[in-house]
Amino acid sequence: MMHRVLLTFLLLFSLGASLHAQENFADDLSGFEEENSLVDTLSDDLDGFGEESISSEPEIQTPPSNLSINGNVAFKTAYGYREHDVDSVEYSGFNQAQTALYLQLNYKINSDWKLRLSGDGFYDAIYDLSAKDYNQDVLDTYKTQLRLDDTYLQGRLTPELDLKLGRQIVIWGKSDSIRITDVINPLDNRLPGITDIEDLRLSTTMAKLDYYLGSWNFSAMAIAESRIFLEAAPRGEYFPVDAVFANAPTPFIELVEPNSSLEDMQYAFAANGVFSGWDLSFYGADVLDSRWHLEGALPNAKRVVSKIQMLGSALNIAYGSWLLKSEVAYINGLKYNSTQDEKARLDALVGFDYMGISDTVLSLEIANRHIFEYESQMSGLTLGVVPDYIQEDEVQTALRTTHSFSNDTLNATLLLSTFGNHWQYGGFFRGSLEYDVRDGVVANFGVIDYLDTPLQQDKPFTHAISNNDRLYLDITYSF
Amino acid sequence: MLIKTLLITTLTLSSLLAMTGQEIAQKVHDRDDGDNSIATMKMTLIDKNDNKRVRELKTFTKDKGEDKLKLMFFLTPADVKNTAFLTYDYEDSSKDDDQWLYLPELQKVKRIASSDKSSSFMGSDFTYSDMTSRNVSDYTYEIMKEPVVKGHKTWQMLVTPKSEKTIEETGYTKSIVFVRQDNFVIIQALNYIKAGNKLKYMMVNDLQLIDGVWTALEMQMVTKKGKKTLHKTIFEFSNYKYNQDLDESLFTTRTLQRGL
């Protein structure tokens, strides 16, 4: 009897659960009816599902123009929220009111060849609105700019061989936040930590040949333009030379632009393999260094940039939601202020991207740069020697996370970039929110906090800019 | 003749009636979805306040054996123009798809490793899993009923992932799909999202036969929480052409970098 009651109860319960589930489904499915009525208002030409076959004859269309002009207009402002002065100029408060224009012209010559011309300019009104007494280097560096960016002819010589001739950007390596093998283009270092990533690399004039063979691509570059990095203005907010170099001359030591001649030509080669689940690259380059060093004795010394030779490799492996990244580079020909001979350095990086969380990317990169035949005076102050403030092994860490909200309308990014194996040599933290105001209009709001170091005598530069923290806002209209 | 026709009809009907959910799913999977296709896609993103964002893309698709190669270029708006996306969608579900993204502002091709396909596809209500074919054997199928939807008899099927791994990858705990009985096209689907107690309603608004291939020329996905619409996306395809002369070399990272 008891058995029968239990069975009946279970049957009734399961029936009830089934009915309840069906009611739930029916309730959920009613959403389609609402959408059906919505569709009718959204689209007038819904004629049901016509089963008649339609021909795929090409429609009469206006052929796309071979010429297109794109660009953007941006307004950028920043507010320093810590008091700090350099060269008797206080930099807290509003310190940027820049209007910038970028123009890009593309012309498709035929199906194989195309031409690009691009350039940008800006004017920062803060230097006219403010009564502060900025030095000429600061005005030259930050007030106005007019320059030619990517300007090249690109085409196909044979089905397997491409040529790209002109000012262009070539990116090497698999890492995103730390550069190891990415040595081809110089960087814009005027505002470290906050330069837009699309503006970070400077186009350089070269001839680049790409040969494609199966899964491999072989590149050869002859770089004719000896373009070097853009540095922060001496005695400006980001290069307070008096806090770094004792008795620094005024004006600061001249930075010599290398000649662009046949003798100074730079060369680079790469082999890139793209395979299912992994990529492998090999690089070789004889190019200009990304740093300067002193040549000659003060007061006649000059800051010069010499050539380095780099051999490197980079590897990507995709595994599930993980993208593992590694890079290694052996660099020879490095010159320093405090040593006579050239040094060699081994740079190595490991890292990963994790994409296993919806609409989120987590990224970690850790790199070490090891100088061979290191000399103790390179680390800091030694009497009669201009210091390099560089350690035998320098560890750099970059931890980044981005998350998209509201169907990619709002993107949040957090980036922590530090130096030292215990993060003891400072770095910066940046948080930013990018909001799509409407199609083509993006607002970017962020904060950057430069992290100080307790070891100020080892890294006086890091300490000197540690109060440059700021809030920033950019609004960009693209057309 | 009449007897023969009746016999064939009866046999066909009885064959259809005898079909299991699994067999229907296999037919959906095996249906000819065309090869070597080119199309222009307009993607309209509509938020809960009816604000619209519009993106236009050029798409290229090619079959490589059982695998599918896909290439997409953004044409508009200006801030994402020339952004490109390349996918090798492998039939073998144990093998992760290969994906690369080209961001013109970085001038860099970046590999994307994501077995998790539950993320939004370019800000739309469609996820990456919605854009790739699902493996039939990863799910169980239960025919619920055979309703008429927009004048067409369908199978309404409950589709349930067999493993937590599939749920994690797609973000869907289950789906109810409506398969047209005359052509094995899914014309409606209700997806239950794992996170946030939300539902996604997919509807094909315009289905046409192009070069013998049933092609969805307009489809929409609406994300709802209860009765409240949170966001919706409409995909409209135009200039859809099959059997174009698309070489396999088009579907490489070289094309991403060169642009259209």
Side-chain angles (χ1 to χ4, degrees), chain A residues 238-385:
Chain A
Y238 282 97
F239 194 8
V241 292
D242 299 305
V244 180
F245 301 104
N247 305 316
T250 305
F252 190 58
I253 308 163
E254 182 192 355
L255 176 63
V256 180
E257 289 277 341
N259 292 327
S260 293
S261 65
L262 204 59
E263 286 174 12
D264 298 295
M265 191 85 108
Q266 304 163 72
Y267 299 95
F269 304 91
N272 300 296
V274 178
F275 309 97
S276 181
W278 61 291
D279 309 315
L280 177 66
S281 298
F282 298 101
Y283 308 110
D286 180 34
V287 292
L288 287 166
D289 196 357
S290 58
R291 330 153 15 256
W292 55 262
H293 65 278
L294 281 184
E295 256 186 28
L298 289 170
N300 298 319
K302 292 194 185 308
R303 292 187 293 148
V304 299
V305 178
S306 60
K307 272 190 175 180
I308 56 161
Q309 295 77 46
M310 191 276 280
L311 284 174
S313 179
L315 175 70
N316 252 354
I317 299 174
Y319 181 75
S321 295
W322 297 84
L323 180 67
L324 309 175
K325 304 181 271 191
S326 72
E327 289 191 43
V328 62
Y330 179 79
I331 302 167
N332 202 15
L334 292 160
K335 292 182 180 173
Y336 293 91
N337 303 328
S338 59
T339 64
Q340 295 298 312
D341 57 340
E342 294 180 351
K343 302 288 181 191
R345 203 177 71 199
L346 183 70
D347 297 357
L349 174 143
V350 290
F352 66 81
D353 288 350
Y354 177 67
M355 304 176 190
I357 304 168
S358 289
D359 304 310
T360 302
V361 181
L362 281 169
S363 173
L364 175 67
E365 293 175 2
I366 301 172
N368 184 54
R369 296 180 174 89
H370 175 82
I371 299 171
F372 294 100
E373 297 177 20
Y374 182 80
E375 296 174 43
S376 59
Q377 73 269 21
M378 297 169 77
S379 66
L381 290 170
T382 304
L383 201 62
V385 177

Side-chain angles (χ1 to χ4, degrees), chain A residues 28 30 34-36 46 49 56 114 150 162 171 175-176 275-277 279 353 358-359 407 439, chain B residues 53-55 96 98 106-108 110-111 118-120 123 150 192 201 203 205 211 224 227 254 258:
Chain A
D28 295 338
S30 68
E34 293 158 25
E35 290 312 316
N36 271 322
L46 281 175
F49 302 100
S56 58
K114 59 183 164 186
D150 282 8
D162 289 352
I171 300 180
S175 59
D176 298 299
F275 309 97
S276 181
D279 309 315
D353 288 350
S358 289
D359 304 310
N407 295 81
D439 281 346
Chain B
R53 290 182 294 154
V54 179
R55 276 110 180 77
D96 288 330
D98 281 309
L106 302 183
Q107 303 199 28
K108 182 177 182 179
K110 183 163 172 60
R111 180 184 278 276
S118 62
S119 294
S120 160
K150 295 177 186 170
Y192 288 76
Y201 294 85
M203 292 167 64
N205 298 332
D211 292 339
K224 290 188 173 192
K227 299 286 180 191
R254 179 189 189 185
R258 280 180 53 89

Side-chain angles (χ1 to χ4, degrees), chain A residues 75-283:
Chain A
F75 177 75
K76 304 177 182 184
T77 187
Y79 182 85
Y81 58 84
R82 280 182 196 272
E83 286 190 357
H84 60 290
D85 66 276
V86 178
D87 199 31
S88 305
V89 174
E90 173 60 44
Y91 279 93
S92 60
F94 283 100
N95 52 34
Q96 190 181 40
Q98 186 189 95
T99 306
L101 173 70
Y102 171 75
L103 282 175
Q104 184 186 88
L105 180 148
N106 290 292
Y107 181 68
K108 197 165 185 176
I109 299 163
N110 57 38
S111 61
D112 284 340
W113 290 87
K114 59 183 164 186
L115 186 70
R116 170 170 293 179
L117 285 170
S118 68
D120 75 278
F122 67 67
Y123 163 67
D124 196 332
I126 206 78
Y127 299 97
D128 287 325
L129 295 171
S130 167
K132 293 173 186 172
D133 187 20
Y134 296 101
N135 68 51
Q136 193 57 45
D137 281 339
V138 169
L139 295 175
D140 290 347
T141 306
Y142 298 110
K143 187 179 173 184
T144 57
Q145 173 174 287
L146 192 62
R147 71 180 182 197
L148 201 62
D149 297 322
D150 282 8
T151 299
Y152 56 77
L153 175 73
Q154 180 181 22
R156 191 169 291 189
L157 295 172
T158 72
E160 295 83 26
L161 189 65
D162 289 352
L163 172 69
K164 198 170 175 183
L165 194 64
R167 245 188 181 186
Q168 57 189 286
I169 287 171
V170 177
I171 300 180
W172 279 2
K174 311 297 180 193
S175 59
D176 298 299
S177 302
I178 301 175
R179 297 174 96 209
I180 298 293
T181 56
D182 185 25
V183 296
I184 302 298
N185 294 90
L187 296 189
D188 184 344
N189 295 324
R190 288 177 294 182
L191 294 170
I194 51 175
T195 304
D196 292 340
I197 196 155
E198 61 265 37
D199 299 328
L200 194 60
R201 293 177 180 85
L202 303 171
S203 285
T204 310
T205 308
M206 67 181 88
K208 180 169 176 268
L209 278 170
D210 280 287
Y211 180 71
Y212 294 86
L213 182 69
S215 299
W216 286 92
N217 150 231
F218 301 93
S219 295
M221 285 145 267
I223 305 165
E225 183 184 10
S226 297
R227 194 175 191 187
I228 60 167
F229 52 85
L230 285 175
E231 67 171 1
R235 295 196 168 81
E237 189 183 12
Y238 282 97
F239 194 8
V241 292
D242 299 305
V244 180
F245 301 104
N247 305 316
T250 305
F252 190 58
I253 308 163
E254 182 192 355
L255 176 63
V256 180
E257 289 277 341
N259 292 327
S260 293
S261 65
L262 204 59
E263 286 174 12
D264 298 295
M265 191 85 108
Q266 304 163 72
Y267 299 95
F269 304 91
N272 300 296
V274 178
F275 309 97
S276 181
W278 61 291
D279 309 315
L280 177 66
S281 298
F282 298 101
Y283 308 110

Side-chain angles (χ1 to χ4, degrees), chain A residues 24-25 27-32 34-36 38-39 42-43 45-46 48-59 61 68 70-71 104 106 108 111-114 116 150 152 154-156 158-162 164 168-169 171-176 197-199 201 203 210 212 274-279 316-323 325 353 355-360 406-409 436 438-442 478-479, chain B residues 45-46 52-55 77-79 81-82 88 90 95-98 100 102 104-108 110-116 118-126 144-145 149-152 156 158 168 174 176 178 180 182 187-190 192 199-212 214 217-218 220 222-224 226-227 229-234 236 238-242 249 253-255 257-260:
Chain A
N24 275 349
F25 283 141
D27 199 30
D28 295 338
L29 290 167
S30 68
F32 280 119
E34 293 158 25
E35 290 312 316
N36 271 322
L38 186 68
V39 169
L42 280 173
S43 173
D45 55 2
L46 281 175
F49 302 100
E51 293 181 7
E52 69 280 13
S53 174
I54 63 166
S55 70
S56 58
E57 284 174 38
E59 293 173 18
Q61 294 176 64
S68 67
N70 302 99
Q104 184 186 88
N106 290 292
K108 197 165 185 176
S111 61
D112 284 340
W113 290 87
K114 59 183 164 186
R116 170 170 293 179
D150 282 8
Y152 56 77
Q154 180 181 22
R156 191 169 291 189
T158 72
E160 295 83 26
L161 189 65
D162 289 352
K164 198 170 175 183
Q168 57 189 286
I169 287 171
I171 300 180
W172 279 2
K174 311 297 180 193
S175 59
D176 298 299
I197 196 155
E198 61 265 37
D199 299 328
R201 293 177 180 85
S203 285
D210 280 287
Y212 294 86
V274 178
F275 309 97
S276 181
W278 61 291
D279 309 315
N316 252 354
I317 299 174
Y319 181 75
S321 295
W322 297 84
L323 180 67
K325 304 181 271 191
D353 288 350
M355 304 176 190
I357 304 168
S358 289
D359 304 310
T360 302
S406 306
N407 295 81
D408 275 0
T409 312
D436 267 16
R438 46 164 292 194
D439 281 346
V441 180
V442 175
S478 301
F479 52 88
Chain B
L45 313 175
I46 307 167
K52 289 182 185 173
R53 290 182 294 154
V54 179
R55 276 110 180 77
D79 56 341
K81 187 179 177 185
N82 294 327
Y88 292 178
Y90 297 113
K95 187 175 178 182
D96 288 330
D97 293 346
D98 281 309
W100 297 269
Y102 177 74
E105 68 265 33
L106 302 183
Q107 303 199 28
K108 182 177 182 179
K110 183 163 172 60
R111 180 184 278 276
I112 298 170
S114 187
S115 58
D116 167 29
S118 62
S119 294
S120 160
F121 172 74
M122 307 290 184
S124 73
D125 293 85
F126 291 82
M144 300 169 76
K145 45 180 150 170
V149 177
K150 295 177 186 170
H152 299 277
Q156 180 184 325
L158 177 63
E168 289 295 326
K174 64 186 174 216
I176 297 173
F178 296 77
R180 254 175 71 165
D182 57 337
I187 56 166
Q188 283 189 169
L190 166 57
Y192 288 76
L199 301 176
K200 279 193 186 179
Y201 294 85
M202 189 283 289
M203 292 167 64
V204 173
N205 298 332
D206 189 0
L207 184 73
Q208 297 198 21
L209 199 58
I210 299 175
D211 292 339
W214 284 105
L217 291 183
E218 184 180 316
Q220 68 175 50
V222 183
T223 307
K224 290 188 173 192
K227 299 286 180 191
T229 296
L230 302 177
H231 199 272
K232 59 179 168 258
T233 301
I234 301 172
E236 292 164 276
S238 56
N239 304 316
Y240 222 118
K241 293 172 190 168
Y242 290 104
S249 64
T253 53
R254 179 189 189 185
T255 311
Q257 282 177 308
R258 280 180 53 89
L260 281 176

Side-chain angles (χ1 to χ4, degrees), chain B residues 119-254:
Chain B
S119 294
S120 160
F121 172 74
M122 307 290 184
S124 73
D125 293 85
F126 291 82
T127 64
Y128 285 92
S129 73
D130 296 321
M131 308 296 289
T132 52
S133 63
R134 297 191 195 179
N135 197 298
V136 175
S137 61
D138 287 345
Y139 299 86
T140 62
Y141 305 88
E142 178 194 332
I143 299 172
M144 300 169 76
K145 45 180 150 170
E146 298 185 22
V148 173
V149 177
K150 295 177 186 170
H152 299 277
K153 197 169 183 196
T154 65
W155 286 291
Q156 180 184 325
M157 292 202 299
L158 177 63
V159 181
T160 311
K162 284 181 182 170
S163 68
E164 194 62 32
K165 179 173 173 275
T166 308
I167 294 174
E168 289 295 326
E169 283 175 3
T170 61
Y172 298 145
T173 56
K174 64 186 174 216
S175 301
I176 297 173
V177 300
F178 296 77
V179 181
R180 254 175 71 165
Q181 295 194 359
D182 57 337
N183 57 16
F184 294 96
V185 175
I186 297 175
I187 56 166
Q188 283 189 169
L190 166 57
N191 299 306
Y192 288 76
I193 304 173
K194 188 186 177 201
N197 201 21
K198 294 179 212 161
L199 301 176
K200 279 193 186 179
Y201 294 85
M202 189 283 289
M203 292 167 64
V204 173
N205 298 332
D206 189 0
L207 184 73
Q208 297 198 21
L209 199 58
I210 299 175
D211 292 339
V213 180
W214 284 105
T215 308
L217 291 183
E218 184 180 316
M219 56 204 290
Q220 68 175 50
M221 184 77 90
V222 183
T223 307
K224 290 188 173 192
K225 190 165 190 173
K227 299 286 180 191
K228 193 176 163 194
T229 296
L230 302 177
H231 199 272
K232 59 179 168 258
T233 301
I234 301 172
F235 283 176
E236 292 164 276
F237 294 91
S238 56
N239 304 316
Y240 222 118
K241 293 172 190 168
Y242 290 104
N243 306 317
Q244 301 298 298
D245 185 21
L246 301 181
D247 194 85
E248 206 177 302
S249 64
L250 179 75
F251 298 86
T252 59
T253 53
R254 179 189 189 185

